[in-house]
Amino acid sequence: MFSYRHAFHAGNHADVLKHTVLIAALQHLVEKDAALTVLDTHAGAGLYRLDGDYANTSAESADGIARLIAPGVPALQPALQAYLDMVRAFNQGAATRVYPGSPFIIQRLLRERDKLKLFELHPTDLRALAGNVAQLEAGRQVAVLHEDGFEGIKKFLPPPARRALVLCDPSYEMKNDYGKVLDMAADSLKRFATGTYAFWYPIIPRPEAHDLPRRLKTLATKAGKSWLHATLTVKSSKITENAAGDVKRPGLPASGMFLINPPFTLKAALKEALPQMTELLAQDKNATHTLESGG
Ligand code: SAM
């Protein structure tokens, strides 16, 4: 069984990038009348306590969401402000104790006619997710599925109203997750070529991680689809060693979001937000971002 638990990482810099992109994309998609189906292939627990045991173990949110609400932060760019407003909506008062994961972010933006399918394999996260979702009293709008998201989405594509957003956010704990993402992307485009597909991935010194966006780009281009690729680096990826020989690993230094058929408004929104995100989340002078698109 997997050991990855998103509660250790909730609200970190990778979540800031992923959830800012998710909100900006979804806000555009719900502007059209027709019902939207959202498939969240790797849902996690749905809600996280930032003052709980898990989050405190690494306190990753201190270098993520917390930096956006620190005193002296200038006015935020619209996409970052929308992200912060979303997190605030789950918290009363000034303190940020609760962090919404992708299922709760998505559900809050949906209309009654839209549907949300959540896939989660880990039994503990599944239990937490099912309990959290039950409190929404969203009825048939939200379905929690104890299934492999890579496989499970197949039966929902194409969706009834032929409009869908797929968020694919694996933990990449297993090396073969990279290949599964590519297989899923290729299969999904065959089933439903006009869906919007959003893939998060870690930027780490591993060939599969390096290759993933390149291969997604090739896939989208060959299928004649537009794509958008945004990355955020907050620190150096170098492993350092002090005089006593203690080795310090940097943790996750960077991550990316790759979208196929992105909403046309997304690039402009990120062009404004990414420089500010980089500035606010920088942990050393290596902090940077990229934004490219094609198709
Ligand atoms: N998307 C969530 C968010 O943004 O709040 C975070 C998801 S976390 C990075 C990845 C989750 O996927 C973990 O909770 C893990 O248990 C679950 N998982 C791993 N492999 C899976 C699979 N094949 N299908 C569904 N869930 C899986």
Side-chain angles (χ1 to χ4, degrees), residues 154-230:
K154 291 182 179 173
K155 59 178 171 289
F156 296 112
L157 295 176
R162 303 199 75 84
R163 297 190 66 232
L165 166 68
V166 175
L167 172 66
C168 181
D169 177 27
S171 49
Y172 297 92
E173 212 179 341
M174 320 260 219
K175 207 163 77 177
N176 63 3
D177 272 357
Y178 296 93
K180 286 183 180 180
V181 167
L182 283 163
D183 290 347
M184 192 197 88
D187 178 77
S188 300
L189 280 177
K190 281 190 198 130
R191 288 171 192 274
F192 184 47
T194 54
T196 296
Y197 298 92
F199 304 93
W200 179 88
Y201 71 97
I203 301 179
I204 48 177
R206 173 170 218 162
E208 295 84 358
H210 182 75
D211 282 350
L212 184 62
R214 199 175 47 75
R215 296 178 70 179
L216 284 169
K217 208 177 293 177
T218 304
L219 179 74
T221 307
K222 278 193 178 151
K225 298 292 159 195
S226 59
W227 55 269
L228 185 146
H229 182 205

Side-chain angles (χ1 to χ4, degrees), residues 21-91:
V21 173
L22 174 66
I23 292 165
L26 203 45
Q27 277 177 333
H28 178 79
L29 290 170
V30 294
E31 276 175 10
K32 276 203 185 134
D33 265 359
L36 180 73
T37 298
V38 184
L39 306 172
D40 188 347
T41 62
H42 295 70
L47 286 175
Y48 304 95
R49 295 230 37 123
L50 293 182
D51 54 0
D53 285 347
Y54 284 126
N56 277 342
T57 306
S58 60
E60 290 189 19
S61 64
D63 282 327
I65 175 71
R67 289 196 181 193
L68 270 52
I69 44 181
V73 171
L76 295 176
Q77 292 297 324
L80 262 185
Q81 186 63 49
Y83 163 72
L84 184 59
D85 290 346
M86 172 63 74
V87 177
R88 283 217 168 112
F90 289 86
N91 290 277

Side-chain angles (χ1 to χ4, degrees), residues 15 74 90 109 140 167 180 247 260 274:
D15 267 5
F90 289 86
L109 291 169
R140 290 159 58 97
L167 172 66
K180 286 183 180 180
V247 171
I260 300 177
L274 273 174

Side-chain angles (χ1 to χ4, degrees), residues 10-25:
N12 69 0
H13 63 85
D15 267 5
V16 177
L17 173 69
K18 173 178 55 184
H19 293 152
T20 300
V21 173
L22 174 66
I23 292 165

